[in-house]
Amino acid sequence: MSKQLDAAHGPKQLQSDMDWKENIVYEIYVRSFNDSNGDGVGDLRGIIQKIDYIEQLGVTAVWLSPIFDSPNRDYGYDVRDYFSIHPEYGTLDDFDELLEALHERGIRLVMEIVPNHTSTEHRWFQEALASPDSPYRDYYIWRPGGEEGSPPNNWTSFLGDPAWTYDEASDQYYFHTYAEHQPDLNWDNPQVREELYRAMIFWLEKGVDGFRVDTANVLSKNKDFPDTDETRRIQGSGEKFYKNGPRIHEYLREMREKVFDRYPDVFTLGESSQVTVEDVEKYTLPQRKELDLILMIEASKICDEPDDMWRSKPWKLSMLKDIMRKWLKDLHEDAWIGMYLSNHDHVRMVSYLGDDEHHREESAKMLSVFLMTLRGTPNLLQGEELGMTDAHFFNSIEDIKEQQALAYYDLMVNERGMEPETILRRILGKARDHTRTPMQWTSEPGAGFTTGAPWQRINPNKSEINAALQEDDPASVLNLYRRMIRLRREHPALSLGSYEPVPELDDDEHIYAYVRERQGERWLIVLNFSTSPRQARLPQSLLADLQTADCVVCTDEHRSDLLKKDVTELAPYDYYVYRLS
Ligand code: NOJ
Ligand code: CA
């Protein structure tokens, strides 16, 4: 059932024998990637300037964060016009040029589509507000208030405030899963769906190769809007009533039929909140004809408290192993996930799964081996390939530009009267801004990102962590990523093969070992997730196979036979990748 990618669009020379599942996706957070005109904001021409870098990295697809016209209060996840590019990012001509440049190098372009909500500045919402009789009124979700002027129910948005906002003129409330300025579209209205399909087709006609479909699992709402009993949950209480809503599968199938099936080489990455294995099977089993994959969010939320994502909880390696077992082993083998550890919504992986203080380089490298040897379609966030870290230099509320963290501060301090210091500490530690600081190209003042004043502060560690420094250093994080990406592309077993954790090490809180296997090709991966040396004891069955195996990638080439002994000691963040057969 796999969709084959071939040279369908113009000069594109994509590998025709590659299954779409084997893509390695590079997330470009456009605003922070490269600024071509010195206004401090990354842009499309800036990406064109870095096309060789992207090609040398070896990724097969680039996913662009939203670039449509938008007031940018949620940086493009609040769309004002689905058919034009935000002027800060460039023009439609720049877009066409970028698409062509990527295709010339055989790299696919994945766009972001935000179908669940628009900006309040979108023409549809403006019309809906101006006149309750307008056909656009039913593009959104309106309800009268409850008794005593309360909202229609007690749900909270993902920003923690009520999920309903009052419109005085019509004496009604509109619903928003996210911020008040991001009203939810009414997917039960067929015209809304047609308008969104038209927008997707506009970009597909230009030749884009795929979409990340934002919040794909919440498009269909249970319109009874019952109160929720989740009183402890701060963000998104009530979600259980609209997650995987009543008509979601019907809508996704319709979208596939009317849009994506007309462009057979296109693939869809569904973004979703936490869902179960069964849910993902429903969304992605090929015969169901819905989405191609769901981006697995659970690993990136491993240290978030479920009731309040701004509160951290400690994580253990066994928790990570449990997550991977569920998604890489228990999931039906024909269902599919996108695998990422960080994206623009979560902290940087070297700072939470690794140790960015004492073992930054070692742990960034170990994590590159991890990400590139897991089943699924990996998504790599810009800067991850350099081992870029969280912004530990953030120290005041002015450093925070993203709305969710700011809304939390407002809610907890101004409405609930909590200690400002406590709340500030929480958001400074986890704000989405950590992954949105500008890309570190050089050690210059603007990090090679801009010649002007950057929209978000540049991490001062740019002097030690930057692409220029790593370019020619064979031992750099960047060069290991390039190597791992090449290895993954050459060996489909690493993308498509089965994932089998070594059971004898299941409870080990430091050593992580698993086997990937496909069509007689077997790989063993052994990683030390610890800041200190740890003993590894592999089972006899594997030791026998290891005796004749080659270590293809290892921390230290001189110690490539290390794991062939009964008991051995691995240095902090050691990584060993053996080809067993
Ligand atoms: C998920 C996106 O990744 C995030 O950045 C955005 O704020 C929400 N969806 C709402 O669109
Ligand atoms: Ca710019």
Side-chain angles (χ1 to χ4, degrees):
M1 295 299 291
S2 68
K3 289 198 234 168
Q4 296 296 308
L5 288 160
D6 59 28
H9 302 112
K12 191 163 44 162
Q13 290 157 4
L14 304 175
Q15 287 172 289
S16 57
D17 56 346
M18 194 183 107
D19 191 308
W20 61 269
K21 290 176 174 170
E22 289 169 62
N23 273 301
I24 300 167
V25 181
Y26 186 54
E27 173 180 2
I28 293 191
Y29 194 72
V30 180
R31 208 172 174 76
S32 302
F33 190 64
N34 189 33
D35 171 22
S36 70
N37 61 353
D39 66 355
V41 173
D43 46 54
L44 298 179
R45 300 216 68 79
I47 305 175
I48 298 172
Q49 289 171 353
K50 295 293 181 187
I51 208 92
D52 290 342
Y53 175 87
I54 300 167
E55 184 180 21
Q56 281 157 20
L57 188 57
V59 292
T60 65
V62 153
W63 147 39
L64 298 185
S65 61
I67 52 173
F68 299 156
D69 182 36
S70 155
N72 268 342
R73 293 176 67 181
D74 193 16
Y75 297 113
Y77 288 96
D78 45 338
V79 177
R80 186 160 48 200
D81 177 5
Y82 291 95
F83 297 89
S84 63
I85 307 272
H86 191 282
E88 275 179 334
Y89 299 140
T91 62
L92 277 175
D93 285 344
D94 296 334
F95 178 82
D96 291 340
E97 199 177 318
L98 171 62
L99 183 62
E100 197 179 325
L102 287 167
H103 282 178
E104 270 167 12
R105 288 161 171 80
I107 303 170
R108 297 159 187 77
L109 178 65
V110 174
M111 300 275 287
E112 177 90 40
I113 185 85
V114 185
N116 179 66
H117 42 268
T118 66
S119 160
T120 43
E121 292 186 23
H122 195 289
R123 185 176 58 85
W124 302 335
F125 192 76
Q126 289 298 313
E127 302 254 359
L129 265 191
S131 153
D133 300 327
S134 139
Y136 292 105
R137 184 79 176 180
D138 190 46
Y139 273 37
Y140 298 89
I141 301 168
W142 301 90
R143 286 289 181 278
E147 286 154 29
E148 293 163 24
S150 59
N153 71 14
N154 65 355
W155 300 359
T156 59
S157 81
F158 271 89
L159 280 81
D161 55 350
W164 300 90
T165 291
Y166 184 57
D167 166 41
E168 210 178 318
S170 63
D171 191 26
Q172 287 205 322
Y173 288 77
Y174 64 86
F175 178 71
H176 47 93
T177 305
Y178 290 88
E180 158 181 354
H181 63 88
Q182 291 165 298
D184 278 42
L185 285 162
N186 174 17
W187 265 69
D188 295 331
N189 180 339
Q191 258 168 312
V192 167
R193 307 202 298 274
E194 289 299 331
E195 298 257 25
L196 291 165
Y197 300 159
R198 210 161 57 78
M200 294 179 209
I201 288 171
F202 174 80
W203 297 99
L204 288 164
E205 282 297 314
K206 287 188 167 291
V208 307
D209 306 280
F211 281 103
R212 177 188 191 254
V213 183
D214 186 56
T215 55
N217 65 327
V218 302
L219 304 178
S220 161
K221 313 283 183 318
N222 171 348
K223 297 281 184 58
D224 297 341
F225 294 115
D227 271 345
T228 180
D229 54 6
E230 305 155 285
T231 45
R232 284 172 53 86
R233 185 164 168 177
I234 302 218
Q235 299 90 14
S237 73
E239 193 201 13
K240 63 181 176 189
F241 295 106
Y242 57 88
K243 179 156 87 174
N244 314 315
R247 298 177 69 185
I248 186 67
H249 297 290
E250 175 192 332
Y251 293 155
L252 292 176
R253 271 198 291 273
E254 181 188 85
M255 181 165 87
R256 170 101 168 215
E257 195 186 307
K258 293 197 170 174
V259 182
F260 302 123
D261 277 352
R262 295 171 52 185
Y263 301 86
D265 303 323
V266 157
F267 69 113
T268 50
L269 298 80
E271 195 261 347
S272 84
S273 48
Q274 300 235 23
V275 279
T276 64
V277 162
E278 293 72 31
D279 297 331
V280 172
E281 287 167 353
K282 287 191 188 139
Y283 287 124
T284 68
L285 277 172
Q287 64 273 23
R288 292 179 54 91
K289 292 190 168 295
E290 297 186 19
L291 295 163
D292 287 320
L293 62 80
I294 289 284
L295 291 156
M296 191 274 280
I297 195 170
E298 214 173 322
S300 66
K301 293 186 78 68
I302 195 168
C303 37
D304 294 358
E305 275 293 351
D307 283 331
D308 180 358
M309 66 191 206
W310 297 102
R311 298 183 63 170
S312 296
K313 66 170 198 230
W315 73 279
K316 292 195 295 190
L317 187 59
S318 51
M319 286 157 61
L320 188 63
K321 290 178 181 176
D322 285 346
I323 293 174
M324 294 304 168
R325 168 186 300 278
K326 182 156 89 174
W327 294 106
L328 306 188
K329 189 168 155 60
D330 299 349
L331 184 75
H332 189 294
E333 65 171 332
D334 294 331
W336 202 247
I337 57 159
M339 172 60 71
Y340 70 93
L341 300 172
S342 315
N343 70 14
H344 64 283
D345 290 334
H346 309 278
V347 288
R348 287 213 172 253
M349 69 171 171
V350 69
S351 301
Y352 78 110
L353 293 180
D355 172 1
D356 66 5
E357 201 181 342
H358 304 294
H359 296 278
R360 186 193 61 82
E361 230 179 283
E362 298 95 311
S363 60
K365 287 185 191 170
M366 186 277 287
L367 288 166
S368 90
V369 172
F370 183 49
L371 185 61
M372 289 303 150
T373 54
L374 291 171
R375 191 174 150 86
T377 298
N379 278 225
L380 170 71
L381 170 65
Q382 69 183 41
E384 209 157 278
E385 76 279 15
L386 304 175
M388 271 177 64
T389 66
D390 275 355
H392 299 305
F393 62 93
F394 284 163
N395 58 25
S396 81
I397 192 98
E398 278 75 47
D399 289 331
I400 306 301
K401 314 270 182 229
E402 71 96 354
Q403 61 171 11
Q404 290 190 4
L406 293 174
Y408 183 72
Y409 185 86
D410 187 47
L411 176 77
M412 300 310 259
V413 176
N414 300 332
E415 283 185 37
R416 299 199 180 176
M418 283 195 59
E419 182 60 42
E421 270 309 304
T422 312
I423 302 304
L424 186 63
R425 209 172 328 109
R426 277 187 206 163
I427 65 169
L428 288 179
K430 287 182 102 184
R432 300 188 293 176
D433 295 82
H434 282 287
T435 46
R436 301 176 182 190
T437 62
M439 183 71 178
Q440 293 164 208
W441 297 104
T442 68
S443 54
E444 293 162 284
F449 161 73
T450 185
T451 51
W455 76 278
Q456 171 54 291
R457 286 175 71 191
I458 292 171
N459 199 320
N461 68 16
K462 67 177 187 323
S463 336
E464 303 94 63
I465 309 172
N466 67 62
L469 272 180
Q470 298 191 24
E471 181 62 45
D472 298 323
D473 172 5
S476 66
V477 181
L478 175 60
N479 279 312
L480 182 63
Y481 259 104
R482 288 173 172 161
R483 196 165 157 207
M484 288 309 301
I485 290 170
R486 207 167 49 237
L487 188 74
R488 188 174 177 99
R489 286 181 64 168
E490 284 164 3
H491 296 278
L494 294 174
S495 313
L496 309 173
S498 61
Y499 162 88
E500 201 56 60
V502 173
E504 288 79 356
L505 294 174
D506 252 3
D507 299 331
D508 195 309
E509 292 293 358
H510 309 285
I511 306 290
Y512 196 156
Y514 48 94
V515 173
R516 304 292 318 279
E517 181 167 5
R518 181 174 179 262
Q519 297 176 352
E521 192 174 318
R522 283 174 79 221
W523 294 79
L524 169 69
I525 295 96
V526 183
L527 309 168
N528 182 5
F529 265 77
S530 169
T531 50
S532 38
R534 295 286 165 184
Q535 272 197 356
R537 202 183 286 265
L538 289 174
Q540 284 305 322
S541 52
L542 275 176
L543 280 175
D545 290 346
L546 264 174
Q547 299 313 312
T548 52
D550 292 327
C551 188
V552 180
V553 178
C554 46
T555 326
D556 178 352
E557 311 288 336
H558 303 296
R559 290 190 297 146
S560 66
D561 279 351
L562 193 75
L563 282 160
K564 299 189 178 181
K565 297 184 235 139
D566 282 0
V567 186
T568 196
E569 193 174 83
L570 296 186
Y573 299 106
D574 259 0
Y575 49 86
Y576 287 86
V577 180
Y578 289 87
R579 176 149 183 195
L580 298 179
S581 60

